[in-house]
Amino acid sequence: MFLSPPVHGVPTTPGSTSRATPPHPSRSAGPGILPPLRHAPAGRTPSYALAVTCPFPHYAGTTDTSGKGCGVPERNNEFGKFGARGTKGHEFVARQLDDLAGFIATPIHQRRGLLARLHYLTRTDHARQAAREAGLTVTDRTLKAWLDGRRSPSRKNLERIETAYRTVRRQNVARYLLARLNRRGRGTRVEFHPLNQSQVPRPHQRYVEFRTLNVRRWDRIVSAWTAGDDARLDDVWVNDAVIDLGSEWGQYEYVSNIGFAA
């Protein structure tokens, strides 16, 4: 069961992998779906074709300032210039992997949550070493005082405990999650919910559909998530997953949600 909700105004058919074709401007598609077809000079592509095949310049409330045109897919620049709203897909992927990791739900500011994290980080010598490598470098005496309730961690140490706990937990579950996501080469079905164009002026709105994709290569994605490397996760999510959506992959760099289960 997927955790991602449907997006208002975008058809979502669970399990469907079909790709709808944007209506031609001459048909009754409603105002503002695509710009009007203009006569193109000899040897140049009509503007309607550009609107369909090139998702980057002014697409869905974004602009492309790379100057490279439509020859090669590019990432979106100046996202939201015309009012489009969305989040980079890798951020939703990280959140979903965090949910699947099963982090302790009780906040660290509560005694119960603090003790649960400290017990997780100190239960074995291996756990203690992993915690130190993750930045929790206090002495064993201090750890024992925290566990016994004789002392309370400072705000900075609470942040260090939380960071160390999440890092160690990710490392411990990464192998299990990777096996579940790769499924011996069968991969995992991922839902891409389009960005929100409700605040984009009608002339700049574009048809962006709900898509699904079976992602088979999760190794680098899980590795970047485990390391907490946001920039690397962004890069590998695009290169190992999003570009497999085809020539329109740039439309899904920013989305309203990403859904998958393991």
Side-chain angles (χ1 to χ4, degrees), residues 90 93-94 221 224-225 229-238:
H90 78 279
V93 172
I221 296 169
W225 166 76
D229 190 333
D230 185 76
R232 181 155 64 98
L233 181 57
D234 181 20
D235 180 66
V236 298
W237 173 245
V238 169

Side-chain angles (χ1 to χ4, degrees), residues 117-229:
R117 288 164 174 80
L118 289 176
H119 283 305
Y120 188 87
L121 294 172
T122 59
R123 57 185 177 176
T124 65
D125 291 339
H126 177 76
R128 287 172 182 266
Q129 181 60 33
R132 291 189 186 96
E133 293 174 357
L136 188 61
T137 56
V138 297
T139 64
D140 290 342
R141 182 177 179 179
T142 299
L143 284 172
K144 190 175 187 306
W146 289 344
L147 288 166
D148 294 341
R150 290 183 285 108
R151 292 172 58 184
S152 297
S154 65
R155 179 177 296 181
K156 182 176 290 186
N157 278 327
L158 284 175
E159 293 175 357
R160 289 171 178 164
I161 294 169
E162 182 68 17
T163 299
Y165 165 70
R166 287 180 170 266
T167 300
V168 174
R169 178 63 181 172
R170 288 190 186 109
Q171 293 171 355
N172 289 343
V173 302
R175 189 173 180 180
Y176 165 79
L177 277 180
L178 182 60
R180 292 290 298 272
L181 291 165
N182 279 339
R183 293 198 307 159
R184 298 183 179 180
R186 298 192 302 275
T188 295
R189 178 177 175 266
V190 177
E191 296 177 348
F192 292 77
H193 291 265
L195 49 78
N196 186 337
Q197 299 185 69
S198 61
Q199 303 301 313
V200 178
R202 296 287 289 180
H204 292 293
Q205 290 185 14
R206 299 293 183 267
Y207 179 78
V208 186
E209 63 178 332
F210 167 84
R211 295 285 302 277
T212 63
L213 176 70
N214 196 47
V215 178
R216 290 184 169 85
R217 303 184 303 275
W218 289 88
D219 300 65
R220 297 203 302 165
I221 296 169
V222 171
S223 175
W225 166 76
T226 303
D229 190 333

Side-chain angles (χ1 to χ4, degrees), residues 35-155:
L37 180 63
R38 295 191 288 270
H39 295 290
R44 298 188 62 181
T45 307
S47 59
Y48 170 71
L50 288 177
V52 175
T53 61
C54 181
F56 306 99
H58 306 288
Y59 203 98
T62 70
T63 59
D64 172 27
T65 58
S66 66
K68 296 182 180 179
C70 298
V72 178
E74 291 290 333
R75 288 177 178 257
N76 292 288
N77 294 302
E78 295 186 293
F79 177 79
K81 180 175 181 178
F82 297 108
R85 293 182 293 178
T87 301
K88 280 199 168 186
H90 78 279
E91 295 183 29
F92 284 120
V93 172
R95 294 176 199 173
Q96 182 65 0
L97 289 173
D98 282 349
D99 288 343
L100 293 172
F103 290 131
I104 295 168
T106 307
I108 192 172
H109 299 286
Q110 296 182 19
R111 177 70 180 164
R112 179 181 176 184
L114 173 61
L115 287 178
R117 288 164 174 80
L118 289 176
H119 283 305
Y120 188 87
L121 294 172
T122 59
R123 57 185 177 176
T124 65
D125 291 339
H126 177 76
R128 287 172 182 266
Q129 181 60 33
R132 291 189 186 96
E133 293 174 357
L136 188 61
T137 56
V138 297
T139 64
D140 290 342
R141 182 177 179 179
T142 299
L143 284 172
K144 190 175 187 306
W146 289 344
L147 288 166
D148 294 341
R150 290 183 285 108
R151 292 172 58 184
S152 297
S154 65
R155 179 177 296 181

